[in-house]
Amino acid sequence: MSLFRDDGIVLRTQKLGEADRIITFLTRQHGQVRAVARGVRRTKSKFGARLEPFSHVDIQFFSRGSELVGRTLPLCTQVETIAPYGARIVDDYTRYTAGTAMLETAERFAENEGQPAVQQYLLLVGALRTLAAGTHQAHLVLDAFLLRSLAVNGYGASFTDCARCGLPGPNRFFSLQAGGVLCGDCRVPGSAVPSPETLVLLGALLSGDWQTADGCEPRYWREGSGLVAAYLQWHLERGIRSMRYVEK
C-alpha cells in the first residue's frame, strides 16, 4: 500500500454508486489518473466541491500497490485547492464551452494513464488560467491551446514556410495531410486557400503573439477556427465532441 501526492487539473467526473465519484485528473507527474473519491456526492462532504472540472488541485492518492496506476483505481484521500478556475469559467457560456473542449482535448492527448505528459499539463494549466482571467477572447485561447497541444505531441503546423520543401513564406495553400502551408510547387489536390490574414493569426496564436491575435478581424477568427478544428480532427482521427458547442 502506497501514498502518492501530485497536483493536477480535474478533467471530468462520473458517478459511482450512491455517494462516490470517479475523478479523472491530468497530473503533473503521473499524467492522466482516474481515482475514486468516496462520499463526495453527500452534502456534508469536506472536499466534494474541490473536485469539479477545471479545478487545479493538490491531491493525495492511496494505492493498494506500489504504483499509482494499477489494476484497481486508487483512492483520492485529500484535496487542497491551488486555483479554482471553474468559478470564473462556468458562469460564462462562451468560456465554459471553450474550457470543456480544452479538457476533452487534454484527456485525448494524455490518454495513456500513468504516463507523464508534463508539457500537456502545463499547457492546460496556462490555458485555463488565461481563460478564467478573461484577458483574451475565449475562442482565441482555445485555438492557441489546440495548436500548441498538437505541436507538443508532434503535430506542429507550419503557417509561413512550406511544410514540404521549406520555401520561406508567406505561402498560400494549406493542407491538413502535409502539416501546414505549401508553396505552389508542393501544392496537393484538396488544399485550402485561406486568407493571408488568417495564416498570420494562426501563426500568432501558435507563437503567443497576442497583440497580433487580438487585433485580427472576426472573419479571420472564424476561418482560423475552422482550420484548427479540421487539423485537430485529422490527427486525432476523430473529432472532439465538445467543439460543436463552442461559440465563435
Side-chain angles (χ1 to χ4, degrees):
M1 298 183 181
S2 306
L3 290 177
F4 298 85
R5 198 156 197 110
D6 207 341
D7 55 87
I9 296 288
V10 178
L11 299 179
R12 64 187 174 97
T13 68
Q14 56 193 110
K15 294 179 180 179
L16 179 67
E18 295 184 356
D20 305 338
R21 278 198 176 114
I22 298 175
I23 313 295
T24 302
F25 300 94
L26 179 58
T27 67
R28 180 188 296 270
Q29 300 176 45
H30 299 91
Q32 187 177 152
V33 175
R34 292 187 304 142
V36 175
R38 289 180 173 170
V40 294
R41 290 164 55 200
R42 296 192 180 103
T43 56
K44 295 182 180 180
S45 171
K46 295 181 179 179
F47 55 84
R50 303 171 195 167
L51 291 173
E52 294 296 330
F54 308 110
S55 296
H56 187 195
V57 291
D58 180 275
I59 325 110
Q60 179 175 279
F61 299 103
F62 172 81
S63 174
R64 297 186 183 279
S66 60
E67 301 291 334
L68 176 57
V69 177
R71 293 183 178 180
T72 59
L73 295 180
L75 297 179
C76 179
T77 56
Q78 291 183 14
V79 180
E80 297 295 335
T81 299
I82 297 174
Y85 296 128
R88 294 290 306 276
I89 292 174
V90 299
D91 288 341
D92 181 275
Y93 182 77
T94 303
R95 286 200 291 263
Y96 174 74
T97 54
T100 301
M102 290 179 190
L103 298 185
E104 185 180 350
T105 301
E107 183 174 0
R108 291 283 298 280
F109 274 123
E111 61 185 357
N112 294 322
E113 293 186 37
Q115 295 187 9
V118 179
Q119 288 182 299
Q120 187 65 67
Y121 166 79
L122 294 175
L123 275 176
L124 181 60
V125 172
L128 292 179
R129 183 189 302 120
T130 302
L131 188 66
T135 52
H136 305 288
Q137 294 284 340
H139 57 85
L140 290 180
V141 178
L142 171 60
D143 286 343
F145 171 76
L146 297 179
L147 288 172
R148 296 176 197 180
S149 293
L150 284 159
V152 301
N153 286 282
Y155 307 118
S158 172
F159 298 111
T160 52
D161 299 344
C162 178
R164 283 195 168 176
C165 70
L167 181 71
N171 289 290
R172 295 184 57 201
F173 309 104
F174 186 89
S175 169
L176 303 177
Q177 302 94 316
V181 293
L182 299 173
C183 64
D185 292 337
C186 295
R187 179 186 182 184
V188 297
S191 296
V193 188
S195 302
E197 293 86 352
T198 298
L199 295 176
V200 170
L201 167 63
L202 295 179
L205 291 174
L206 181 58
S207 65
D209 180 2
W210 284 105
Q211 183 175 359
T212 297
D214 290 335
C216 281
E217 297 179 21
R219 54 179 169 164
Y220 305 128
W221 296 349
R222 288 188 286 269
E223 185 178 37
S225 291
L227 289 177
V228 173
Y231 192 67
L232 179 69
Q233 182 172 348
W234 172 266
H235 287 290
L236 288 179
E237 298 182 352
R238 64 184 190 271
I240 297 296
R241 289 175 296 176
S242 306
M243 293 288 288
R244 72 187 69 174
Y245 304 112
V246 175
E247 288 192 343
K248 301 289 195 302

